[in-house]
Amino acid sequence: EDQVTQSPEALRLQEGESSSLNCSYTVSGLRGLFWYRQDPGKGPEFLFTLYSAGEEKEKERLKATLTKKESFLHITAPKPEDSATYLCAVQGGSEKLVFGKGTKLTVNP
Amino acid sequence: GAGVSQSPSNKVTEKGKDVELRCDPISGHTALYWYRQSLGQGLEFLIYFQGNSAPDKSGLPSDRFSAERTGGSVSTLTIQRTQQEDSAVYLCASSPGMLSNQPQHFGDGTRLSIL
């Protein structure tokens, strides 16, 4: 059974304080690992797809990396508007995504 | 807009009533998915459509849940004889469907509350 575990559950940072979120996974035949951002009362917003170990993607202050067992979402010099819940999901042998429970990030000014 | 549209945004109903939730995917997307997000839980897969057929219904929690898609576009998720444990946010997503590992794009969901 495909599984995704995200840590920490919650993270508080000061503005400008860089950090990383972790997504550990087990999957039969990874076809894609996806990062989403979710704001309160909204649906998940797509950020990145990673397909193979060693791949990296960047967007503004965010950088996602992938190994054979985990993915990291690095946040460099975060701003208060980066506050959200970040979700990781994997796609294995079927079309569905299997999600972790997310990391709730709060960035204080 | 060009995104996935869901209606209603909120639904409050009494236990035992039937509810219908609607999803209008991004134009041209052939793949459509339903997920459920309960408080403190991750998103839970319910059903996947490719065109009008549903090759994967494995996530539907009971026979009270059903879904259909007509014309390869709009989908309706129906919950019969609702129970309090059905309270959750129901999210719909779509993807182009041409390559199966393309990202799924989500609507803002229907928040369902069963009294």
Side-chain angles (χ1 to χ4, degrees):
Chain A
E1 182 180 344
D2 300 344
Q3 287 191 325
V4 175
T5 302
Q6 292 188 245
S7 63
E9 291 185 9
L11 180 63
R12 285 186 174 273
L13 299 173
Q14 289 298 123
E15 184 172 2
E17 179 187 2
S18 302
S19 188
S20 296
L21 313 182
N22 177 264
C23 170
S24 297
Y25 65 90
T26 55
V27 64
S28 299
L30 180 71
R31 291 194 290 158
L33 184 141
F34 302 85
W35 281 99
Y36 288 85
R37 168 192 172 127
Q38 187 172 28
D39 293 299
K42 299 291 188 180
E45 174 189 351
F46 170 71
L47 293 174
F48 303 109
T49 309
L50 301 167
Y51 294 106
S52 58
E55 190 175 0
E56 299 183 351
K57 294 271 180 77
E58 284 189 68
K59 179 180 179 181
E60 296 181 357
R61 296 177 292 282
L62 301 177
K63 178 180 176 180
T65 62
L66 181 65
T67 72
K68 289 185 178 180
K69 293 183 179 181
E70 57 192 354
S71 177
F72 291 94
L73 185 65
H74 306 278
I75 303 177
T76 302
K79 298 183 178 181
E81 53 262 42
D82 295 322
S83 297
T85 296
Y86 290 86
L87 301 172
C88 172
V90 296
Q91 186 177 41
S94 67
E95 298 305 312
K96 69 181 182 182
L97 296 181
V98 175
F99 281 85
K101 293 185 178 181
T103 294
K104 183 177 181 180
L105 174 67
T106 303
V107 182
N108 296 314
Chain B
V4 176
S5 178
Q6 292 189 245
S7 60
S9 55
N10 287 282
K11 177 73 175 179
V12 180
T13 193
E14 293 180 346
K15 177 183 171 181
K17 299 287 189 183
D18 297 352
V19 295
E20 283 191 355
L21 313 180
R22 176 188 167 106
C23 172
D24 202 339
I26 293 171
S27 178
H29 280 193
T30 60
L32 186 148
Y33 311 80
W34 285 97
Y35 292 84
R36 178 168 72 174
Q37 188 172 32
S38 304
L39 197 62
Q41 301 296 316
L43 274 78
E44 171 192 16
F45 168 78
L46 298 177
I47 188 169
Y48 155 63
F49 287 91
Q50 179 58 48
N52 289 336
S53 64
D56 188 354
K57 305 179 183 180
S58 63
L60 295 178
S62 76
D63 59 8
R64 295 186 296 105
F65 287 72
S66 63
E68 64 176 14
R69 189 179 185 195
T70 55
S73 181
V74 172
S75 176
T76 302
L77 177 69
T78 301
I79 308 173
Q80 295 179 310
R81 306 181 302 281
T82 53
Q83 303 295 312
Q84 288 188 332
E85 61 263 28
D86 299 334
S87 295
V89 178
Y90 289 82
L91 291 159
C92 176
S94 69
S95 71
M98 300 301 287
L99 295 173
S100 61
N101 57 357
Q102 290 187 316
Q104 298 174 19
H105 297 276
F106 285 81
D108 286 336
T110 293
R111 183 174 300 275
L112 178 63
S113 300
I114 310 299
L115 302 178

